[in-house]
Amino acid sequence: MHSVEKSPWSELYKVTEEGSLLLDETVFQSFGAGVPHQKGDMSVENGEVVIRNINEEHEALRWIHSQNVEFTLYLNGKEVFDAEELPHHEKMEMKIEKR
């Protein structure tokens, strides 16, 4: 959920062989702060803006978690954890742990 626009926002990441997170696609309903607009292939589908082929690599994802906005993390289609269990207004980091 976009914290300012209060509209759904989803991102699709792929894990690279090196263990980075590669932002491949994002879908949102309206432009607002932080919305990518200069990368990838943009289209409008079913009233939503879809950007594919972003190819933006991240070693980790970092955010300040808020329990005031909807947040769900899925891995291969399964919910990873209950976001309400994360501390409110705390720094979060998600990265791939190499074994």
Side-chain angles (χ1 to χ4, degrees):
M1 186 67 67
H2 191 282
S3 61
V4 176
E5 298 292 320
K6 305 295 185 209
S7 60
W9 178 340
S10 65
E11 296 179 332
L12 175 67
Y13 290 84
K14 295 179 179 177
V15 178
T16 68
E17 289 185 19
E18 296 79 25
S20 295
L21 294 160
L22 186 69
L23 176 58
D24 185 54
E25 177 180 303
T26 187
V27 179
F28 49 91
Q29 293 179 351
S30 60
F31 280 93
V35 174
H37 62 280
Q38 295 180 330
K39 295 182 179 182
D41 304 315
M42 186 181 302
S43 63
V44 177
E45 301 173 18
N46 301 315
E48 296 182 311
V49 178
V50 179
I51 305 176
R52 292 187 175 92
N53 303 313
I54 299 170
N55 296 323
E56 187 176 279
E57 196 167 340
H58 301 270
E59 74 173 54
L61 299 181
R62 296 175 182 91
W63 71 99
I64 304 293
H65 184 69
S66 172
Q67 293 178 350
N68 296 328
V69 295
E70 186 177 326
F71 176 85
T72 309
L73 176 67
Y74 296 95
L75 178 62
N76 298 325
K78 293 184 179 182
E79 191 172 331
V80 175
F81 53 79
D82 182 353
E84 290 184 13
E85 294 177 3
L86 296 177
H88 184 60
H89 287 169
E90 294 288 329
K91 292 179 183 179
M92 297 287 129
E93 179 180 82
M94 179 180 68
K95 61 183 179 179
I96 304 301
E97 186 174 300
K98 298 178 188 179
R99 295 184 183 201

